[in-house]
Amino acid sequence: MPARKRPPAGSKFFSRRPASLELHLEPFRHYLEAECGMSLNTLKAYTADLKRFADWFAKHGPPSLSDVSLKLLGEYLDDLYAAELSATSIARHLVSIRMFFRYLMLEGVVAESAAELIESPKLWQRLPSVLSPEQVDRLLLAPDPTDRYYLRDRAILCLMYATGCRTSEVIGLAQKDVRLEENFCRVLGKGNKERLVSLNPVARAALESYLKHERPTIARPDSEMLFVSRSGRPLTRIMIWNLVKRYAARIGASSKVSPHTLRHSFATHMLAGGAEIRALQEILGHASIRTTQRYTHVDHSRLKAIHSAHHPRG
């Protein structure tokens, strides 16, 4: 499909289109999915951001989207600051609004976008928190036979740390995606990009045990998904979140530990072990090397902390 071009400025096309915000939300969602190929999670985030903007716009906005000004958008951002949203969240809201108005320009609904003139709030580069190798070992062994589905839970934890997979990638795994005999999994990442990730002996053993002894007792006969709940249905993101939180609390780890902490820990430990950053980028499924490079800062910070703690002049 050839790239669409927006109508030229001054075109009569603009005056023929309705300019009510709500009318364009659903078509915009279809545009992101069909033409931009955005993931389901990104679609949900953009939809939620724009729903909030639409509610605010209904009370404070002008009759037409063509009349949206820089001042109006600034007032909306002030409202987000007043609601004590983080700089990261506000930046994402602004990206959602920019994308929406770019779409409106493509559709000929508005002639120009004031959203392009607003700078994103400056973001401090926050280093991701990681677990030490010793903490990871304890976390992987935290599920025990007293837990209802401890083989499944242990397999999930082992898989997440062994591969660095995102939560969405883990819950999206089907049985056919796991090749135990070849020690790898096929995962579908952001933007529907497929990649292969390796399984270490610990993850392979945990998966074999789960598939042999536990999954057959809870999965529905027609289920293709690898990990299922007690009802036999696929797991959800919140289930994985609660699972990691529960076992992290059991070993006395920080309350800030989340599923993504295992991904951060995997990446940091890989770099500390000598992995090439380009190879790590492919393993993690990062589109940009800049995203992967933040883990070099994590490792440097860890080395500085060790130096300060143990050097006599630290």
Side-chain angles (χ1 to χ4, degrees), residues 173-179 184-186 194 224-226:
L173 280 173
Q175 277 192 282
K176 62 181 176 60
D177 296 323
V178 181
R179 306 290 181 84
F184 75 82
C185 289
R186 179 181 286 106
E194 190 178 88
E224 298 180 354
M225 306 313 295
L226 177 62

Side-chain angles (χ1 to χ4, degrees), residues 46-58:
Y46 277 32
T47 301
D49 292 347
L50 289 172
K51 179 63 171 64
R52 181 169 186 156
F53 178 60
D55 291 342
W56 183 89
F57 190 84

Side-chain angles (χ1 to χ4, degrees), residues 53 56 68-78 94 97 101 113-116 118:
F53 178 60
W56 183 89
V68 171
S69 64
L70 184 63
K71 180 176 181 294
L72 182 81
L73 293 178
E75 291 173 355
Y76 178 63
L77 294 183
D78 287 340
L94 182 54
I97 292 172
F101 274 89
S113 169
E116 300 294 335
I118 300 181

Side-chain angles (χ1 to χ4, degrees), residues 10-276:
S11 169
K12 295 181 179 179
F13 182 65
F14 291 109
S15 63
R16 299 201 307 266
R17 307 301 296 269
S20 172
L21 195 156
E22 291 80 3
L23 289 176
H24 300 287
L25 290 182
E26 190 59 26
F28 174 62
R29 190 181 188 283
H30 290 311
Y31 162 75
L32 293 179
E33 183 176 16
E35 296 192 36
C36 300
M38 290 190 172
S39 68
L40 179 60
N41 291 330
T42 304
L43 287 173
K44 288 181 178 178
Y46 277 32
T47 301
D49 292 347
L50 289 172
K51 179 63 171 64
R52 181 169 186 156
F53 178 60
D55 291 342
W56 183 89
F57 190 84
K59 298 177 182 177
H60 308 282
S64 171
L65 285 169
S66 301
D67 298 325
V68 171
S69 64
L70 184 63
K71 180 176 181 294
L72 182 81
L73 293 178
E75 291 173 355
Y76 178 63
L77 294 183
D78 287 340
D79 214 53
L80 297 180
Y81 276 111
E84 299 185 351
L85 269 67
S86 67
T88 304
S89 296
I90 293 174
R92 194 198 66 218
H93 275 75
L94 182 54
V95 169
S96 302
I97 292 172
R98 277 183 185 149
M99 286 290 293
F100 179 60
F101 274 89
R102 286 173 188 172
Y103 163 77
L104 295 179
M105 290 171 68
L106 281 175
E107 290 293 307
V109 177
V110 298
E112 57 187 8
S113 169
E116 300 294 335
L117 303 176
I118 300 181
E119 291 187 6
S120 296
K122 294 185 180 296
L123 304 178
W124 290 96
Q125 185 181 28
R126 294 183 298 175
L127 298 180
S129 59
V130 299
L131 298 172
S132 68
E134 294 75 22
Q135 286 178 308
V136 170
D137 289 341
R138 289 166 52 208
L139 181 64
L140 301 187
L141 293 174
D144 60 48
T146 62
D147 297 299
R148 188 169 188 180
Y149 301 116
Y150 83 100
L151 293 178
R152 180 202 64 185
D153 296 352
R154 181 175 294 173
I156 290 172
L157 294 173
C158 290
L159 177 67
M160 295 186 80
Y161 177 66
T163 63
C165 282
R166 304 175 178 92
T167 302
S168 58
E169 294 168 348
V170 171
I171 62 178
L173 280 173
Q175 277 192 282
K176 62 181 176 60
D177 296 323
V178 181
R179 306 290 181 84
L180 293 179
E181 66 283 357
E182 299 172 67
N183 294 322
F184 75 82
C185 289
R186 179 181 286 106
V187 299
L188 197 62
K190 288 186 175 181
N192 291 324
K193 293 181 180 179
E194 190 178 88
R195 70 184 191 280
L196 302 180
V197 294
S198 298
L199 298 173
N200 61 24
V202 174
R204 174 177 173 170
L207 284 167
E208 284 180 334
S209 186
Y210 162 66
L211 288 170
K212 181 178 180 180
H213 301 293
E214 200 167 80
R215 189 184 181 281
T217 66
I218 54 177
R220 296 182 174 186
D222 60 343
S223 176
E224 298 180 354
M225 306 313 295
L226 177 62
F227 296 115
V228 294
S229 65
R230 63 183 179 182
S231 64
R233 294 186 175 87
L235 294 180
T236 63
R237 293 170 63 90
I238 192 62
M239 289 177 181
I240 298 288
W241 176 278
N242 291 334
L243 182 152
V244 172
K245 287 285 187 182
R246 181 170 73 252
Y247 292 118
R250 182 174 295 181
I251 67 169
S254 168
S255 59
K256 295 182 180 179
V257 171
S258 70
H260 226 56
T261 305
L262 285 171
R263 179 171 165 87
H264 295 325
S265 301
F266 162 81
T268 305
H269 298 167
M270 287 284 286
L271 281 178
E276 293 290 335

